[in-house]
Amino acid sequence: MIWQLDVIILTLVIISGIAAITIKDLLGAAILFGAYSFLMCLLWAIMGAVDVAFTEASVGAGVSTVLFVAAVFQTTRRSQD
Amino acid sequence: MNQQFPALIIIVPLIVALVITIVGWLNKKWCFPLALIGLGTPLLISVGLLLEVLKKQVITYHLGGWRPPMGIEYRIDHLSGLVLVVIFSVALLNLIASREKVLAEFPEKAGAFYGLSLLFVAGLAGITITGDAFNLYVLLEITALSGYALIGMGDKHAPLAGLHYLIMGTIGASFYLLGVGFLYLMTGTLNMVELSQMLPALYSSRVVIFAFFFCLIGLFIKMAMFPVHGWLPNAYSYMPTAASGLIAALTTKVMIYVMIRISLLVFTPSFVFVNTLLNSALVWLAVIAIVTGSILALAQKSLTRMLTFIIIAEVGYMVGGFWLGNRDGITGSVLHIVNDAAMTLCLFLAVGSIRFRLQSDRLSDLSGIFRTMPFTMIAFVVGGLSIIGVPPTCGFFSKWYLIKGGLAAGSYEFVAALIFSSLINIILFFRVIEIGYFNPQTEGRNDDHTTPANGGINEAPLGMVVTSLISATSLIVLGIYTNVLVGKVIQFVL
Amino acid sequence: MNDLITLIASKYNYWAFIILMMLGLYAMIVKKNLVKKIIGMNIFQTSIILFYISVGAKEQATIPIIEHSHGTEAHPIQAINYINPLPHVLMLTAIVVSVATLGVALALAIRVYRQYGTLEENEIQSQINQL
Amino acid sequence: MKAIAFITVVLCGSLIMFGTFEFPDWGDPQSPASRHLSPYFIEQSLADTAVPNIVTAVLADYRGFDTMFETTVIFAAGLACFFLLRTFTKKTRNERLYRHSSTGIIINIKKGGKRPDDSSKFERIDSLWTPYDLIIKTTCRLIIPSIQLFALYVIAHGHHSPGGGFQGGVILGASIILLAISNDLRSTLRRMSEKASAIMAAAGVLIYVGTGILCLLLGAAFLDYEALAPLLQSSRIMARSHGILIVEMGVGLAVMAVMIWLYYNISSAGKHDEGL
């Protein structure tokens, strides 16, 4: 594996994680969480955990995001923090 | 068939839960009898297993036919055999008691309710007997998920309480998973017995100590030990009465059992009680839990909330008793797991009947309750006496062992806390008895439904009364046969 | 200096897991919004998955799918050439558990919103206190 | 509050970071985790189960019991969402909107008005969101079958490549969710009702548990697929491989159904009228 790639993606994962919990729009947070999951999936693919990466891509970045968006539509987009 | 019991005891409730979900869409009448089968059969199996354990000491079962370090092993010893019997008897009694409540509270979702409660029980049974650290996590999550759903279905504030419980519970389970991950990192295995063989060489390692800490913190959150008990009062007091006997009686006790099992089976007592330097700190924590739980119970205005704080105090008893680290303390702690499950079941069933009839459980609404619901109140009083610790009820004997253990270990603060909490419990239950027995029935408060005008008997449905009386009798029976229980089963725990 | 670099190179994956874990824990403690708390919970869970995958990683090794075709069965399979598959198996289960928890959490959040009309915890608390 | 939480979190983090110095190095082939149990799996799983993908072999065979409960967890989540959210009381709205398919004209039928008989010419639409996008609908019509085909491939080819029942099930479920997003929830419910998805979810787990019970009835331990060899008319090792396939299909069915079930209940808050 290439450690430069690893470091870049780790940084991106942390940035998107921080962004997902700080953004004030819940829909945006849901989408950023999807991005976080997808970057995480890339990280695991780099580490050789292909099955886990596959699952995370379909579950974390796919279905979880859809469920988040659905829940946000059923409740509210507003968030104070 | 005999040697397949360890697998069947979990598979039967699981399979019945699945069948109930299917049947629930076709005909709701079949749900209850099926659930009865799904809990009655494992109860018989668990009794069979306990008898077998008494003869053979330890039963192991290799799932998938793989030897332990490769596959998953189930391991039943004296303690887990005993806890299994407790789990299934409590679940069966609560099921019978909850029939009318389910019809009243969520008639259209009866199938889902029974399915979830069977999954809950299957998860608990699995937690009790699994010999694999990661398998325990999966089963923990099954139990927790069905528990969140059952709690969240209660009346108005229940979803919020359920969500808080979910977040706390997930933190707890994740900490446990992290602890297991640390152990895996250092040893490369997940099997509890193999871990216990490989760990002593690593006891000086920081990582192993951290692993133990994380497992312990995770389990403390799950069992509502004092500083992290915040989720319990709301979750337990808002949950639907149909599930309250099941969840309140079993969740915390099984988690304490897991703590004991992890400490004694995965780690050695010498590491747990000496190396980690946790002993006295945790006993003090338990003392604080007992005292605050008792005092807060005194401040509550409703019966269920009062009981939830008593549970927090009782968790303090068991954790403190275990961390005394001597024979009497641990015996008392294990005995109290059994007794407290029975006592909590008895009290919650009685309170469930009261809530079912009065639609309220505020202390001020209970006037004259002894006249209208005499049998339920008999059960309630027996449960109360047992919590206080009056002989010949079982609560006395476990408290006796705990006090003996406390004196032997020289931790007088624990003994003082136990006596203090007993005194508070006397006040708590006699306050209820005073309101319910001596206060005249206030007219016009509850007469809009079902209360006959001249204070005649207005008992809960037969199933509820019978189950609460059975559980009350079991308290006395457990008390009388304490010697048998300790001599035949519990003394082999150590 | 060289020691420090090797230390960093050999441990930074673990540190990233700790940062993410603390991020999730912080979000769960501090954030008042329930959906934010749920996002924090998920970040917390994925960080633990990252830890396990890091435990399983092995340098100079390939993914845990054995190269085989007819006639190659005779070649011995060397454990050193393949990444440790056990953490992957465990984490597949953990991912499933996390999505299941997410579903139940969102269902509860929707019910909370139905009850109080808001997802902010302080607003809910003030509503409860008014009653 | 924020400051206290921040300090606790940082303290806790640095404590664990302090612990990491005793960790084996990242990627070290000599770490205990790589030396103890995993060599057995890597070297023996092909000989034991005839499955080249070690993860699949360990997941569905050596630790098959875990996976059974993993499927049960997912099933419990679907059941829990249904239990928490589903409301059966139908709120009849006073007005109903219908769109004429070929012209796109929308008619509003007041309460008591006669509804259009020929449902192929008129389609019922929702007041909040009216799906009328030719491009999206056609694209989805093209994509969905290929997604489903790929999902079936993922399930069936889990023995040889990354994938398996769980991933394939999620993708299958996602294809139906895509249908529900691109059209509307009501027409998706007509194709796959909630009852069907609930029963399929339970049936999927039942396939898994049933396989285990079958092994048990044939005299072996629970989930010991070798016992199936006489039934499948194959060698004992191939019986393990086939057993894994059966179980993966059960997982796929259950996961697909639960994903759809979850989406139905969460996207409509249990009312099953209007989706996203």
Side-chain angles (χ1 to χ4, degrees):
Chain A
M1 60 165 265
I2 308 152
W3 69 269
Q4 290 90 340
L5 204 58
D6 200 35
V7 171
I8 291 170
I9 292 180
L10 269 179
T11 324
L12 283 177
V13 163
I14 293 171
I15 290 172
S16 55
I18 293 173
I21 62 166
T22 43
I23 192 168
K24 295 223 189 291
D25 179 3
L26 287 182
L27 195 61
I31 301 301
L32 276 169
F33 180 70
Y36 166 88
S37 298
F38 198 75
L39 288 167
M40 206 58 145
C41 143
L42 289 181
L43 195 58
W44 293 335
I46 292 174
M47 290 189 187
V50 272
D51 278 86
V52 184
F54 195 169
T55 316
E56 179 69 12
S58 56
V59 174
V63 174
S64 291
T65 313
V66 171
L67 291 184
F68 260 122
V69 171
V72 169
F73 264 92
Q74 283 301 326
T75 54
T76 171
R77 277 177 74 167
R78 188 178 62 92
S79 162
Q80 282 176 351
D81 52 11
Chain B
M1 214 55 192
N2 228 353
Q3 70 273 21
Q4 304 284 11
F5 277 175
L8 281 177
I9 199 162
I10 298 163
I11 301 310
V12 171
L14 174 59
I15 229 170
V16 173
L18 298 171
V19 172
I20 281 180
T21 316
I22 296 177
V23 169
W25 286 95
L26 309 173
N27 187 351
K28 297 212 165 42
K29 273 185 199 145
W30 287 94
C31 291
F32 180 74
L34 273 173
L36 216 53
I37 296 172
L39 289 177
T41 329
L43 177 61
L44 295 179
I45 298 177
S46 67
V47 172
L49 274 175
L50 183 62
L51 293 177
E52 210 169 323
V53 162
L54 291 182
K55 273 182 284 178
K56 290 203 322 205
Q57 305 295 327
V58 172
I59 302 174
T60 54
Y61 185 89
H62 300 165
L63 288 150
W66 294 107
R67 283 183 295 113
M70 318 311 162
I72 293 169
E73 176 199 35
Y74 269 21
R75 185 182 176 84
I76 304 170
D77 50 22
H78 285 91
L79 182 53
S80 35
L82 181 66
V83 175
L84 272 184
V85 176
V86 172
I87 288 174
F88 283 107
S89 355
V90 167
L92 190 65
L93 281 177
N94 183 66
L95 178 78
I96 297 168
S98 69
R99 187 181 184 183
E100 311 276 336
K101 298 179 212 161
V102 172
L103 290 178
E105 282 177 54
F106 13 79
E108 279 160 323
K109 296 176 185 169
F113 173 82
Y114 289 128
L116 283 171
S117 36
L118 279 171
L119 287 177
F120 181 82
V121 177
L124 283 181
I127 290 174
T128 314
I129 60 177
T130 186
D132 189 279
F134 186 79
N135 193 233
L136 202 153
Y137 166 74
V138 181
L139 291 158
L140 211 60
E141 284 289 351
I142 289 197
T143 315
L145 270 186
S146 29
Y148 306 144
L150 290 175
I151 286 173
M153 251 335 249
D155 53 0
K156 50 187 192 294
H157 300 310
L160 186 64
L163 192 55
H164 280 155
Y165 177 29
L166 186 146
I167 289 171
M168 286 306 281
T170 309
I171 297 179
S174 302
F175 270 133
Y176 173 78
L177 183 62
L178 190 63
V180 173
F182 278 23
L183 290 180
Y184 178 72
L185 178 76
M186 295 311 282
T187 61
T189 182
L190 292 163
N191 185 274
M192 287 185 185
V193 177
E194 211 189 7
L195 275 174
S196 72
Q197 288 156 1
M198 295 174 74
L199 279 176
L202 296 165
Y203 276 160
S204 53
S205 161
R206 277 202 295 268
V207 182
V208 172
I209 294 175
F210 276 0
F212 183 65
F213 275 6
F214 279 127
C215 288
L216 211 59
I217 293 171
L219 292 172
F220 275 176
I221 294 176
K222 285 265 178 190
M223 73 174 77
M225 181 63 188
F226 163 64
V228 279
H229 65 279
W231 56 269
L232 188 137
N234 280 336
Y236 280 16
S237 48
Y238 295 128
M239 78 174 141
T241 45
S244 62
L246 185 66
I247 295 178
L250 291 179
T251 319
T252 50
K253 278 81 201 174
V254 174
M255 289 309 141
I256 291 162
Y257 160 79
V258 173
M259 179 188 80
I260 295 178
R261 186 167 166 109
I262 298 270
S263 307
L264 294 184
L265 187 64
V266 178
F267 297 89
T268 51
S270 63
F271 170 75
V272 169
F273 293 127
V274 181
N275 283 25
T276 55
L277 305 171
L278 278 175
N279 258 7
S280 48
L282 284 180
V283 172
W284 269 107
L285 208 58
V287 168
I288 300 174
I290 295 171
V291 173
T292 43
S294 305
I295 291 174
L296 286 174
L298 208 53
Q300 302 307 318
K301 291 195 176 62
S302 91
L303 214 48
T304 323
R305 273 193 98 75
M306 184 185 101
L307 290 182
T308 58
F309 282 99
I310 291 180
I311 291 180
I312 292 172
E314 301 277 322
V315 169
Y317 287 17
M318 288 173 265
V319 174
F322 176 73
W323 286 97
L324 288 175
N326 56 23
R327 194 171 195 93
D328 281 330
I330 296 176
T331 310
S333 176
V334 171
L335 191 61
H336 205 69
I337 289 179
V338 178
N339 293 347
D340 195 40
M343 296 191 283
T344 321
L345 175 76
C346 175
L347 287 172
F348 269 84
L349 284 185
V351 174
S353 308
I354 294 171
R355 269 167 76 170
F356 184 75
R357 268 287 169 260
L358 300 187
Q359 306 297 326
S360 154
D361 64 338
R362 269 180 306 179
L363 292 174
S364 51
D365 290 352
L366 296 179
S367 331
I369 190 84
F370 273 82
R371 222 157 301 141
T372 50
M373 305 178 75
F375 296 112
T376 307
M377 287 317 283
I378 289 175
F380 182 83
V381 168
V382 174
L385 290 177
S386 185
I387 291 260
I388 295 167
V390 179
T393 53
C394 58
F396 168 74
F397 295 97
S398 42
K399 225 170 240 186
W400 178 248
Y401 275 106
L402 288 174
I403 289 177
K404 245 168 62 178
L407 290 176
S411 46
Y412 298 104
E413 71 278 4
F414 185 64
V415 179
L418 282 177
I419 294 168
F420 174 74
S421 123
S422 299
L423 292 176
I424 297 268
N425 286 342
I426 294 177
I427 302 174
L428 286 174
F429 284 99
F430 276 85
R431 190 172 59 174
V432 175
I433 292 171
E434 189 210 336
I435 296 170
Y437 192 78
F438 295 108
N439 282 17
Q441 190 173 13
T442 43
E443 291 295 328
R445 176 112 208 171
N446 282 306
D447 59 355
D448 46 342
H449 46 252
T450 60
T451 312
N454 49 2
I457 288 180
N458 179 31
E459 262 296 354
L462 188 65
M464 291 189 207
V465 177
V466 170
T467 44
S468 24
L469 285 178
I470 291 177
S471 58
T473 325
S474 77
L475 294 181
I476 297 171
V477 172
L478 274 175
I480 293 170
Y481 288 102
T482 298
N483 275 336
V484 182
L485 206 60
V486 173
K488 283 264 167 66
V489 185
I490 295 176
Q491 65 156 326
F492 295 105
V493 171
L494 284 177
Chain C
M1 189 63 199
N2 246 349
D3 286 0
L4 191 67
I5 289 173
T6 34
L7 184 72
I8 292 172
S10 66
K11 297 289 194 301
Y12 69 90
N13 266 290
Y14 294 128
W15 295 344
F17 126 76
I18 294 168
I19 293 172
L20 285 175
M21 193 172 127
M22 292 307 128
L23 193 64
L25 203 58
Y26 179 76
M28 274 189 282
I29 298 171
V30 167
K31 296 289 169 186
K32 293 275 184 290
N33 189 288
L34 293 173
V35 172
K36 281 286 177 66
K37 274 187 191 252
I38 296 171
I39 290 178
M41 186 181 86
N42 259 279
I43 291 178
F44 189 66
Q45 283 174 319
T46 37
S47 76
I48 289 173
I49 299 173
L50 177 62
F51 165 69
Y52 269 79
I53 301 295
S54 306
V55 171
K58 199 187 283 181
E59 270 170 359
Q60 313 295 325
T62 184
I63 56 171
I65 296 174
I66 292 167
E67 293 174 48
H68 84 302
S69 54
H70 287 290
T72 53
E73 278 90 344
H75 288 290
I77 301 157
Q78 296 275 315
I80 200 97
N81 293 333
Y82 296 97
I83 293 171
N84 183 357
L86 190 54
H88 300 181
V89 174
L90 306 181
M91 287 311 106
L92 274 179
T93 312
I95 290 179
V96 175
V97 167
S98 77
V99 72
T101 320
L102 174 71
V104 178
L106 290 177
L108 282 168
I110 291 175
R111 268 183 70 107
V112 169
Y113 186 77
R114 218 190 264 166
Q115 179 76 36
Y116 305 101
T118 174
L119 286 175
E120 306 291 325
E121 230 169 16
N122 42 1
E123 291 174 16
I124 296 173
Q125 205 55 50
S126 63
Q127 277 191 36
I128 292 176
N129 290 342
Q130 274 173 12
L131 293 178
Chain D
M1 179 64 195
K2 272 187 182 175
I4 298 169
F6 188 74
I7 292 167
T8 3
V9 161
V10 167
L11 271 180
C12 191
S14 37
L15 203 67
I16 308 174
M17 216 172 260
F18 175 62
T20 59
F21 292 117
E22 284 195 4
F23 280 15
D25 285 352
W26 186 88
D28 179 13
Q30 295 305 317
S31 69
S34 309
R35 256 184 330 180
H36 178 57
L37 203 51
S38 71
Y40 176 87
F41 288 134
I42 294 168
E43 283 159 13
Q44 294 299 317
S45 69
L46 189 61
D48 279 347
T49 61
V51 176
N53 185 351
I54 310 169
V55 174
T56 306
V58 180
L59 187 78
D61 197 349
Y62 295 96
R63 298 188 70 88
F65 200 63
D66 262 357
T67 313
M68 188 181 88
F69 279 109
E70 166 192 338
T71 323
T72 315
V73 168
I74 264 288
F75 169 76
L79 193 60
C81 270
F82 163 79
F83 185 58
L84 284 170
L85 284 178
R86 189 79 171 96
T87 44
F88 288 101
T89 43
K90 280 214 175 77
K91 261 190 276 175
T92 42
R93 204 174 271 127
N94 284 338
E95 52 191 35
R96 287 187 158 201
L97 299 173
Y98 284 87
R99 180 170 60 210
H100 190 241
S101 306
S102 47
T103 59
I105 294 170
I106 296 172
I107 53 171
N108 180 358
I109 294 170
K110 291 263 165 61
K111 195 183 179 184
K114 186 173 173 293
R115 292 178 204 159
D117 296 324
D118 193 2
S119 59
S120 66
K121 280 186 185 157
F122 287 93
E123 59 175 341
R124 200 179 145 197
I125 55 173
D126 295 322
S127 51
L128 292 178
W129 188 72
T130 51
Y132 187 69
D133 198 326
L134 191 65
I135 295 172
I136 288 179
K137 273 192 176 174
T138 318
T139 317
C140 287
R141 191 170 289 170
L142 280 173
I143 285 178
I144 288 171
S146 0
I147 293 179
Q148 287 173 337
L149 207 59
F150 176 65
L152 292 177
Y153 160 79
V154 169
I155 295 179
H157 211 251
H159 285 43
H160 299 270
S161 63
F166 189 74
Q167 293 91 331
V170 173
I171 296 174
L172 263 183
S175 72
I176 308 275
I177 292 175
L178 182 60
L179 183 73
I181 292 177
S182 64
N183 288 285
D184 59 345
L185 193 64
R186 218 179 286 112
S187 62
T188 316
L189 274 168
R190 269 202 300 278
R191 280 170 195 259
M192 184 167 173
S193 69
E194 189 193 21
K195 185 175 170 179
S197 57
I199 290 179
M200 272 157 83
V205 189
L206 266 180
I207 291 177
Y208 205 135
V209 186
T211 317
I213 290 276
L214 199 61
C215 304
L216 195 143
L217 291 178
L218 289 169
F222 187 73
L223 284 175
D224 188 351
Y225 309 125
E226 273 184 23
L228 299 175
L231 277 184
L232 297 168
Q233 297 187 329
S234 55
S235 69
R236 299 177 78 80
I237 290 167
M238 280 316 283
R240 288 201 171 270
S241 176
H242 294 324
I244 291 173
L245 185 63
I246 297 170
V247 157
E248 294 270 19
M249 286 193 287
V251 175
L253 186 66
V255 170
M256 173 197 82
V258 170
M259 289 301 153
I260 298 166
W261 201 9
L262 277 179
Y263 176 79
Y264 282 169
N265 278 323
I266 288 185
S267 70
S268 67
K271 293 195 281 289
H272 286 198
D273 48 357
E274 296 170 23
L276 279 182

